[in-house]
Amino acid sequence: MALPLRVAPSLLASDFTRLAEEMQRVEDAGADWHHVDVMDGHFVPNLTLGPPVIAKLRQVSTLPLDVHLMIEQPAAWAKRYAEAGADLLSFHYEAAQDDVEGSLQAFQNTGCKVGLVLNPDTPVEVLKPFWSQVDLILIMSVFAGFGGQKFIPEVLDKVRQLRDWGFEGDLEMDGGINEETAQLCRQAGANVLVAGTYVFGSPSAKKAIQSLRGLPAPA
Ligand code: DX5
Ligand code: ZN
C-alpha cells in the first residue's frame, strides 16, 4: 500500500482579503489540496466561512477542496457544502455521535468523498464501527477551533492504531504541523498533512511544502 503524500495548506492562515491570490500562491508552491476550515461559532468558539465563499473558491481553483466541517448537526449541511463544490467533506465524530451512521449516509449521498474527524480527547476506538466506511480519517493534533496551536504528539498513537486495524484510506493530520512534526506524522502512517501557519507564515511556501514532504529545500 503506497498512498501518495498530500500536502494541504489550510486557508485559515491565509490573508482572507486575498483568498484567490493566496490559493494561487500555494498552488504554485506545490500544494496538492486546499484545506478549508468551516467553523460555526457553536461546535467551536470561532467563526469562518460557509457555502457561498466555498462556491467562489471553487471558481478560482481546480485543486481538490478538502472541507473540514467544525459545525453542529453536520448532516443537515452536507448537501449545501457538496453543491458549493467541495470534493471531500469531513465532519467531526463529536458533533454527530447521536447518529454517526445516518450522518455518514447523508454525506455519502452527496457523492463527495467522506471523512470522519476526531478531536485529541476522543479515543480512536469510537471509530471501530465506522472506519471501513470512510474515504478519509482526520486525526486532529490540536483541538479544533484555531490555527497556531502546539502539536499534541500523543495523538500519533491513533494513526498507528488505524493502520494496524488495516485502514488503507487517507489518513490526515491537522494542527501544529511543521517540518519536525510532519516527519512524526509520516512515520506513524499519515499521508495527508494540513498546515496553516507553517506554510502561509513562511517566507517561502515552496520550501515549507517541500520540507513537509521530507524533501530537501528546492533551489
Ligand atoms: C484548526 C484547523 C486547522 C488549522 C491548522 O481548527 O482545523 O486546519 O488551520 O492551523 P496550524 O497549521 O496553524 O496549526
Ligand atoms: Zn482543519
Side-chain angles (χ1 to χ4, degrees), residues 10-13 35 37 39 44 68 70 140 142-149 174-177 194-198:
S10 164
L11 284 172
L12 187 65
H35 184 82
D37 289 302
M39 306 186 190
V44 288
H68 174 192
M70 288 163 270
M140 293 301 297
V142 301
F143 282 88
F146 299 91
Q149 304 179 71
D174 181 8
I177 296 190
V194 176
T197 310
Y198 183 65

Side-chain angles (χ1 to χ4, degrees), residues 73-164:
Q73 299 189 318
W77 290 89
K79 198 160 169 272
R80 292 276 307 277
Y81 282 97
E83 284 168 357
D87 294 279
L88 202 150
L89 285 169
S90 297
F91 63 98
H92 273 257
Y93 169 85
E94 300 85 3
Q97 52 188 307
D98 291 347
D99 185 12
V100 179
E101 200 70 52
S103 303
L104 279 173
Q105 195 60 57
F107 278 91
Q108 273 151 357
N109 287 345
T110 67
C112 287
K113 289 199 168 181
V114 178
L116 259 173
V117 193
L118 291 190
N119 255 326
D121 58 354
T122 304
V124 71
E125 283 70 26
V126 303
L127 291 183
K128 268 192 178 153
F130 310 114
W131 64 265
S132 61
Q133 304 175 44
V134 297
D135 300 292
L136 175 146
I137 295 172
L138 168 49
I139 298 296
M140 293 301 297
S141 38
V142 301
F143 282 88
F146 299 91
Q149 304 179 71
K150 197 169 173 298
F151 186 85
I152 301 171
E154 286 76 15
V155 304
L156 290 164
D157 284 341
K158 297 186 203 178
V159 174
R160 286 187 276 264
Q161 183 65 254
L162 283 161
R163 291 301 187 207
D164 282 352

